[in-house]
Amino acid sequence: MGSSGLRVSELGLGTMTWGRDTDEIDAAEQVRDFLDAGGTLIDTAASYADGDAERVIGTLLSGKVARHEVVLATKAGIRSESRPDGGSGRVVDASRGALLDSLDESLLRMGTDHVDLFLVACPDPHTSLEETCNALRIAVTSGRARYVGLSNHPGWATARVATLLEPDIGLAAVELEYSLLQRGVERDVLPAADALGVGLLAWSPLGRGVLTGKYRRAIPADSRAAGALAGFVQPYLEGSAPAVVEAVATAAEGLGRAAGEVAIAWLLEREGIASAIVGARTPAQLRSSLEAATLELPYEVHAALDDVSAPEIGYPERW
């Protein structure tokens, strides 16, 4: 993981669906397949299914999976809060108290005394980076976390936090969305992380599912993405996205592999990637993603995918 001593597998197992769309039986099968394939990194968050994803992990760690077999990462800084109308909403809070309370609750749910990687889920405009760093420092010095990182933060914040933490605990990782359909990290986060020795964890390497080819220009009415996930997926069906998806599908057909495998294999070959986080609702979906680790793209295919998905780079990066 960057210049730290933390070692992670090139594919990480995401758990966003656990406790909601993926039950404990399927989760256990996913973990066993993942470990058998050489995987170690399991990525979760306190906010996934309002903590139920971590509870599923806790159940697995209590009997089916040995703690030393996995590198456990969790995120804090987003919580649910009741509204006056009786509903609930998401609140961003990366204050010292919120982060440490969330970490303690995560450890309790997972039945472990430490996580290997503790990340701040997203930027908090109301809390200074100095205070957030103080919480990360306490997490490490107290033994509750071995390494720390950021998620969904811009390059300048990554550089600032890395500088603040450099004298003692250091910043090990940044976790951001990165795929053929989302290459924005290449503008500033990836260069900053590389210069500072920070490893990049890439979430949603399948472009929110679009790069599997199951969605093209529209979301099928009978798809799960037609409901609550519609706003999450639809932007990746617009603009230049269809051309990228078609290029991936063409490459997959020529190589005799699944489109999703090609998309993940492209990402694994990018500079600076410590691990690509693959999530799956079912064990079968995960097994397909794991096959990507066995695929080495021909230079011509990789270059063609680079070209068709190239992001717009402007000032000041191109001067």
Side-chain angles (χ1 to χ4, degrees), residues 31-304:
V31 170
R32 185 44 54 195
D33 288 341
F34 178 66
L35 295 177
D36 288 346
T40 59
L41 176 63
I42 296 181
D43 179 76
T44 191
S47 60
Y48 290 174
D50 291 327
D52 284 344
E54 291 183 331
R55 292 186 184 93
V56 172
I57 291 173
T59 300
L60 297 180
L61 291 177
S62 68
K64 299 179 178 66
V65 179
R67 178 64 180 87
H68 70 269
E69 290 187 277
V70 299
V71 175
L72 196 56
T74 195
K75 295 177 284 293
I78 300 176
R79 69 173 188 272
S80 295
E81 192 169 273
S82 299
R83 297 196 303 257
D85 62 3
S88 63
R90 297 290 188 182
V91 175
V92 174
D93 188 349
S95 65
R96 180 169 54 244
L99 291 178
L100 294 176
D101 283 349
S102 181
L103 177 56
D104 286 341
E105 291 162 3
S106 291
L107 296 177
L108 185 63
R109 284 190 288 264
M110 292 187 287
T112 183
D113 63 355
H114 75 280
V115 291
D116 299 287
L117 180 62
F118 181 50
L119 303 111
V120 182
C122 63
D124 176 4
H126 304 295
T127 301
S128 70
L129 290 177
E130 287 78 5
E131 179 175 340
T132 295
C133 286
N134 185 247
L136 296 178
R137 190 171 287 107
I138 293 171
V140 173
T141 57
S142 67
R144 287 175 278 182
R146 300 288 170 81
Y147 296 88
V148 296
L150 301 175
S151 183
N152 303 309
H153 283 66
W156 70 265
T158 299
R160 177 61 176 156
V161 170
T163 301
L164 290 170
L165 296 179
E166 177 59 32
D168 42 25
I169 65 171
L171 183 69
V174 288
E175 182 174 331
L176 293 105
E177 184 176 7
Y178 190 14
S179 73
L180 279 161
L181 293 177
Q182 177 53 273
R183 294 177 61 181
V185 298
E186 295 176 9
R187 293 194 61 168
D188 63 352
V189 180
L190 198 55
D194 180 60
L196 296 164
V198 178
L200 181 73
L201 302 175
W203 64 265
S204 197
L206 292 176
R208 307 185 183 187
V210 174
L211 290 169
T212 63
K214 62 182 177 181
Y215 315 123
R216 293 298 172 101
R217 294 182 181 274
I219 302 173
D222 60 349
S223 168
R224 289 176 60 250
L229 294 177
F232 186 66
V233 174
Q234 186 60 44
Y236 283 36
L237 301 174
E238 302 168 353
S240 62
V244 177
V245 175
E246 289 301 327
V248 171
T250 299
E253 183 177 358
L255 295 170
R257 305 292 288 258
E261 294 174 36
V262 171
I264 296 172
W266 173 87
L267 183 63
L268 292 178
E269 294 174 1
R270 305 298 290 176
E271 291 290 334
I273 302 299
S275 186
I277 309 299
V278 293
R281 185 171 55 87
T282 67
Q285 290 174 347
L286 177 64
R287 285 191 286 270
S288 177
S289 292
L290 293 176
E291 287 297 316
T294 67
L295 175 59
E296 183 175 344
L297 297 179
Y299 171 81
E300 295 79 5
V301 171
H302 191 101

Side-chain angles (χ1 to χ4, degrees), residues 2-50:
S3 60
S4 76
L6 179 61
R7 298 185 180 186
V8 295
S9 49
E10 63 178 350
L11 289 177
L13 178 58
T15 63
M16 183 179 286
T17 64
W18 290 14
R20 185 184 66 227
D21 301 320
T22 303
D23 61 24
E24 184 184 319
I25 295 175
D26 279 353
E29 187 174 346
Q30 285 189 24
V31 170
R32 185 44 54 195
D33 288 341
F34 178 66
L35 295 177
D36 288 346
T40 59
L41 176 63
I42 296 181
D43 179 76
T44 191
S47 60
Y48 290 174
D50 291 327

